[in-house]
């Protein structure tokens, strides 16, 4: 009986023990290490930030009209039962909704901290964890794939755009022969045209809303007489298992890839445009600093100069903004999810806020987004302090 009680205690508070174990390990490592002491302090700061965010999110959700008791009673009323105000008050007392806001927030945070319980969804009539299921992970993968897509395009082409900003369209160097000037002029013109195209694309990405881009692509499919790539699968493959009697279903994988590119492309569209501008501005700013002129005076030139100095030092700020980029991409995902017909956490958030008024479900999704953003910022700070001498000197002092 005692062993079972202890087992149940740890099972009901597993998340708390995980957090305490990580904190204890970092504290122990930080006794003799300035770096791990910094990591431990950042860990505590991240937990405090999450606590503050939970209070803000919970308070904002409480501002919405109605509560779980009223929704539950309204549901029973639709089933033909006669409901009185006494029934509503009794249900509110049973759910603990008659308690002050601070008490209910403390209970919500306690359940969340002990075992990762995000509360009870009134509209879904089940826990928020079950209502979300794999949907949040689906949204997470969409956002991460969109970010990877944007970085793969924005970083190299943003560097190329910065590299060509001060170059001329033609080679007018009198020391070059006529043939060399023609060949160099062709190369310079191609680079300038590519830079011009990149600027136009980046401006379109910032000006054109993501949902409008999604609608445009869908309409193009309609005009071409092709099936729309909405949702994650076509109707014929939606209920087909991944592994059947004949083994892995390659047809379903092909159908999935034919649909998944659309949300990744659409949500990565504006992120790519913004990152193009950001990378270009960072590299141009670094290339105008004195240490680059000093390297050029020592004879360093060409790719070695750009890769070793302005580009290298421009990556750190970009890497440190991954968490905020994730939040920006997720902010675009709800409307895109509705347009494309996805059923991920972003679409569920719109449903909870605009249709069912499900505060607990909306609060759970918003908190998970904040958790991802804060976790990413924590890990980027830790990694940058380890690999970047400038950051290491600023935060560690040596």
């Amino acid at each position: 009986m005692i062993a079972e009680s202890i087992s149940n205690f740890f099972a009901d508070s597993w998340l708390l023990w995980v957090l305490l174990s990580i904190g204890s390990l970092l504290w122990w490592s930080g006794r003799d290490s300035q770096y791990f002491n910094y990591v431990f302090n950042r860990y505590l700061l991240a937990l405090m930030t999450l606590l503050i965010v939970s209070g803000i999110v919970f308070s904002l959700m409480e501002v919405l009209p109605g509560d779980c008791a009223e929704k539950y009673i309204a549901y029973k009323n639709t089933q033909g039962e006669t409901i009185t105000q006494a029934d509503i008050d009794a249900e509110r007392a049973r759910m603990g909704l008659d308690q002050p806001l601070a008490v209910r927030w403390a209970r919500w945070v306690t359940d969340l901290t002990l075992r990762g319980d995000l509360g009870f969804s009134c509209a879904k009539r089940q826990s928020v964890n079950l209502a979300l299921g794999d949907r949040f992970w689906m949204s997470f993968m969409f956002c991460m794939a969109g970010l990877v897509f944007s970085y793969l395009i924005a970083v190299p082409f943003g560097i190329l755009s910065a590299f060509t900003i001060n170059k001329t369209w033609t080679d007018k160097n009198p020391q070059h022969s006529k043939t060399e000037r023609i060949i160099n002029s062709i190369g310079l013109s191609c680079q300038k045209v590519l830079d011009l195209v990149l600027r136009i694309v980046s401006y379109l990405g910032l000006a054109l809303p993501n949902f409008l881009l999604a609608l445009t692509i869908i309409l193009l499919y309609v005009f071409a007489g092709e099936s729309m790539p909405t949702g994650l699968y076509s109707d014929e493959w939606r209920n087909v298992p991944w592994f059947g009697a004949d083994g892995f279903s390659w047809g379903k994988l092909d159908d999935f890839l034919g649909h998944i590119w659309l949300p990744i492309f659409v949500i990565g569209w504006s992120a790519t445009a913004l990152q193009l501008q950001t990378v270009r501005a960072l590299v141009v700013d670094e290339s105008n600093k004195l240490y680059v002129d000093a390297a050029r005076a020592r004879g360093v030139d060409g790719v070695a100069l750009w890769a070793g100095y302005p580009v290298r030092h421009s990556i750190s700020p970009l890497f440190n903004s991954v968490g905020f980029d994730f939040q920006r991409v997720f902010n675009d995902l709800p409307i895109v999810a509705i347009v494309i017909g996805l059923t991920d956490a972003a679409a569920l958030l719109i449903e909870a806020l605009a249709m069912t008024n499900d505060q607990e479900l909306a609060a759970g999704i918003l908190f998970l987004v904040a958790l991802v953003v804060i976790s990413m910022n924590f890990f980027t700070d830790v990694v940058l302090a380890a690999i970047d001498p400038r950051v290491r000197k600023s935060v560690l002092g040596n």
Side-chain angles (χ1 to χ4, degrees), residues 227-246:
S227 59
M228 295 183 296
T230 54
L232 293 179
Y233 307 100
S234 302
D235 292 337
E236 58 181 307
W237 292 102
R238 183 170 290 111
N239 297 321
V240 175
W242 283 99
F243 292 91
D246 298 330

Side-chain angles (χ1 to χ4, degrees), residues 113-135:
T113 305
L114 290 178
R115 53 185 178 273
D117 185 3
L118 292 169
F120 183 79
S121 171
C122 302
K124 302 295 183 181
R125 309 310 307 161
Q126 59 184 177
S127 70
V128 174
N129 300 56
L130 291 176
L132 279 176
D134 296 331
R135 292 183 177 186

Side-chain angles (χ1 to χ4, degrees), residues 160-319:
L160 178 62
S161 179
F163 182 72
T164 60
I165 186 173
N166 293 323
K167 290 184 176 295
T168 59
W169 286 82
T170 58
D171 182 9
K172 300 179 180 180
N173 192 338
Q175 297 180 354
H176 293 164
S177 64
K178 183 177 181 180
T179 302
E180 290 177 334
R181 288 199 298 269
I182 293 176
I183 295 175
N184 292 339
S185 296
I186 294 175
L188 288 171
S189 298
C190 291
Q191 292 179 12
K192 297 295 288 186
V193 169
L194 179 59
D195 178 52
L196 181 62
V197 172
L198 290 174
R199 292 192 188 189
I200 294 175
V201 169
S202 64
Y203 292 145
L204 284 176
L206 294 175
L208 187 64
N210 287 353
F211 70 89
L212 184 58
L213 175 64
L215 287 174
T216 303
I217 295 175
I218 292 174
L219 288 176
L220 289 176
Y221 270 83
V222 173
F223 293 151
E226 301 289 339
S227 59
M228 295 183 296
T230 54
L232 293 179
Y233 307 100
S234 302
D235 292 337
E236 58 181 307
W237 292 102
R238 183 170 290 111
N239 297 321
V240 175
W242 283 99
F243 292 91
D246 298 330
F248 184 76
S249 178
W250 295 101
K252 184 168 184 175
L253 176 62
D254 181 67
D255 183 75
F256 175 74
L257 294 178
H259 287 76
I260 196 63
W261 70 268
L262 181 58
I264 294 176
F265 175 76
V266 170
I267 64 176
W269 167 260
S270 60
T272 302
L274 182 61
Q275 289 301 332
L276 270 171
Q277 300 278 2
T278 302
V279 173
R280 181 174 177 271
L282 287 173
V283 176
V284 169
D285 180 64
E286 289 291 331
S287 65
N288 293 325
K289 292 186 177 179
L290 293 178
Y291 73 89
V292 179
D293 294 333
R296 188 178 289 111
R298 294 196 303 269
V300 184
D301 198 9
V303 176
L305 174 68
W306 280 79
Y309 294 92
V311 172
R312 177 187 175 188
H313 294 146
S314 301
I315 297 300
S316 294
L318 186 67
F319 180 71

Side-chain angles (χ1 to χ4, degrees), residues 292-368:
V292 179
D293 294 333
R296 188 178 289 111
R298 294 196 303 269
V300 184
D301 198 9
V303 176
L305 174 68
W306 280 79
Y309 294 92
V311 172
R312 177 187 175 188
H313 294 146
S314 301
I315 297 300
S316 294
L318 186 67
F319 180 71
N320 203 30
S321 65
V322 172
F324 300 108
D325 293 337
F326 176 89
Q327 183 182 24
R328 188 182 304 112
V329 170
F330 187 88
N331 291 340
D332 296 333
L333 187 56
I335 302 300
V336 173
I338 293 177
V339 172
I340 298 179
L342 301 177
T343 57
D344 63 337
L348 203 60
L349 177 62
I350 292 294
E351 178 185 337
L353 290 175
M355 301 177 187
T356 61
N357 197 16
D358 193 342
Q359 296 104 320
E360 294 275 343
L361 181 58
I365 297 174
L366 293 175
F367 178 80
L368 288 177

Side-chain angles (χ1 to χ4, degrees), residues 129-144:
N129 300 56
L130 291 176
L132 279 176
D134 296 331
R135 292 183 177 186
F136 183 78
W137 290 111
M138 187 188 303
S139 298
F140 177 79
M141 294 307 299
F142 283 152
C143 293
M144 293 306 299

